[in-house]
Amino acid sequence: MTPRAVPRTAVVAIGGNALLRGGTHATVAEQVEAARRLASPVVAPADTGWRVVVTHGNGPQVGFIKRRADLAAALAPELPAVDLDMCVADSQGGLGYILTTAIAGRLRSLGRADDRVAALITHTVVDAHDEAFSHRTKPIGAFYPAARPRELADLHHWTVAEEGERGRRRVVPSPRPRRVLETEAVRALSSAGFTVIAAGGGGIPLVEGDAGYRGVEAVIDKDLTSAHLAAEFGADLLVVTTGVERVAVDHGRPTQRYLDRLTHDEAERLLARGQFPPGSMGPKIRAALDFLRGAPGRQVLITSPQQLGAALDGRGGTWLDSEPARTTEEPLNGTVTAGRPQ
């Protein structure tokens, strides 16, 4: 009896910056156009038989939403204050709308069913005692030059941090994800053939208590939540998109070298040596390690959205494996047979 081919699932994480001009700002119309350009590579895995779950960041957008709410409160004090958990929910709705219509449009252009796309409002449970609440590190919103962020920090009690030559940004707590409440909903929709958009902005941050759940002032790293969600519902591949085609060691030095493949242990050693800084590639490598840990057969691909299709064909990107690196560059196909990779 011939084993049944089971579609494999890829979680594709895209950054909130990918929808903005230079990672700074864009009108809604410009974000819609950027999403249309992203839709083609995002659905590329489906061309080779993968089921796709899309996750997205919201760092810039959630900062804009919060700033807009703060300005509105100054003009209309009767309006209720808007906390970060509500801002994350707001960004999930807006970006989910933009991405859903872009992906549905792309599916229609390919002659596929364009009603099989679903965006989920997603909640992520974190630990109320996570040390991140005392050490703010997650940048949100716009970049500000020189003294401007100090004025805003004094006015709104912000914490700001230097972001190199680009200026300063507000930073907020970024606790680690512990549980995604909608995991089973993602699994069910994906199994039914939907392209699912979930875990926007890392998920609406919640803590759990005797009285149930409550939102907290935080923005969770979307790559860490993507890895956690992918592991929870048993995805085969985690795709982390970024601004570069491949991961490099000795970045920016004469000895810079691009990496085609890494094992879990190799990536862990390079991370420990400081090769992947916290403000750039570090969180993506940490997310990859979380997804690979203790799960033979899983893989992670790190590449740019534009190179995603080529990378899936074995022509680019950096692949991370939980097992020793392969000796061939043969690309993966999009199915497994009787639970065993072909």
Side-chain angles (χ1 to χ4, degrees):
M1 181 176 176
T2 303
R4 180 173 60 89
V6 181
R8 305 185 78 188
T9 304
V11 172
V12 180
I14 61 176
N17 286 329
L19 299 175
L20 305 182
R21 293 195 307 268
T24 56
H25 65 282
T27 66
V28 171
E30 288 167 338
Q31 291 185 70
V32 168
E33 182 56 36
R36 287 176 180 160
R37 292 193 298 270
L38 281 171
S40 180
V42 163
V43 302
D47 293 336
T48 52
W50 293 83
R51 287 175 176 162
V52 179
V53 174
V54 179
T55 63
H56 63 84
N58 71 346
Q61 292 88 349
V62 77
F64 302 155
I65 292 166
K66 179 62 173 170
R67 178 76 176 127
R68 186 167 65 237
D70 290 343
L71 290 171
L75 296 172
E78 71 275 9
L79 292 177
V82 181
D83 294 329
L84 272 175
D85 56 327
M86 283 298 297
C87 293
V88 173
D90 190 330
S91 72
Q92 283 191 5
L95 294 176
Y97 155 61
I98 289 172
L99 290 168
T100 296
T101 53
I103 291 171
R106 177 58 180 167
L107 291 174
R108 173 180 286 190
S109 73
L110 296 172
R112 300 178 187 159
D114 59 5
D115 60 349
R116 309 297 283 179
V117 185
L120 282 180
I121 298 298
T122 312
H123 305 77
T124 302
V125 179
V126 302
D127 185 347
H129 303 291
D130 192 305
E131 64 178 13
F133 288 107
S134 301
H135 300 86
R136 303 180 176 204
T137 59
K138 176 70 175 175
I140 65 170
F143 293 95
Y144 294 99
R148 178 61 175 154
R150 296 191 189 95
E151 296 172 6
L152 293 170
D154 291 342
L155 180 63
H156 299 292
H157 308 292
W158 288 1
T159 300
V160 297
E162 192 74 40
E163 289 269 313
E165 296 179 354
R166 294 181 291 182
R168 291 172 174 257
R169 291 177 83 185
R170 182 186 179 187
V171 290
V172 300
S174 184
R176 287 185 67 85
R178 300 298 180 188
R179 183 159 56 97
V180 177
L181 294 187
E182 288 74 18
T183 296
E184 290 306 315
V186 172
R187 189 200 311 274
L189 285 166
S190 180
S191 297
F194 281 81
T195 298
V196 186
I197 300 165
I204 302 166
L206 303 177
V207 295
E208 188 173 7
D210 294 338
Y213 300 105
R214 64 177 175 85
V216 290
E217 283 280 281
V219 176
I220 306 166
D221 184 89
K222 72 97 174 42
D223 292 322
L224 291 179
T225 300
S226 300
H228 192 84
L229 175 65
E232 278 190 323
F233 80 84
D236 304 280
L237 173 66
L238 172 64
V239 178
V240 180
T241 65
T242 184
V244 295
E245 180 185 343
R246 286 179 293 170
V247 176
V249 292
D250 293 346
H251 180 70
R253 304 173 189 168
T255 53
Q256 177 173 302
R257 178 168 53 93
Y258 289 105
L259 304 174
D260 295 321
R261 287 192 178 268
L262 278 172
T263 65
H264 175 283
D265 291 347
E266 290 167 344
E268 199 160 45
R269 285 196 297 270
L270 290 170
L271 182 66
R273 293 173 189 166
Q275 283 285 354
F276 308 124
S280 57
M281 194 59 69
K284 301 180 189 308
I285 296 296
R286 289 188 185 280
L289 293 173
D290 284 354
F291 179 65
L292 294 175
R293 190 167 290 118
R298 289 179 182 168
Q299 289 191 297
V300 177
L301 169 62
I302 300 178
T303 192
S304 66
Q306 297 76 17
Q307 292 298 317
L308 178 54
L312 289 169
D313 287 337
R315 295 181 285 112
T318 298
W319 290 86
L320 291 90
D321 302 86
S322 53
E323 300 164 350
R326 301 165 186 264
T327 56
T328 70
E329 293 300 314
E330 188 173 322
L332 299 176
N333 60 29
T335 63
V336 293
T337 303
R340 189 178 64 194
Q342 294 183 337

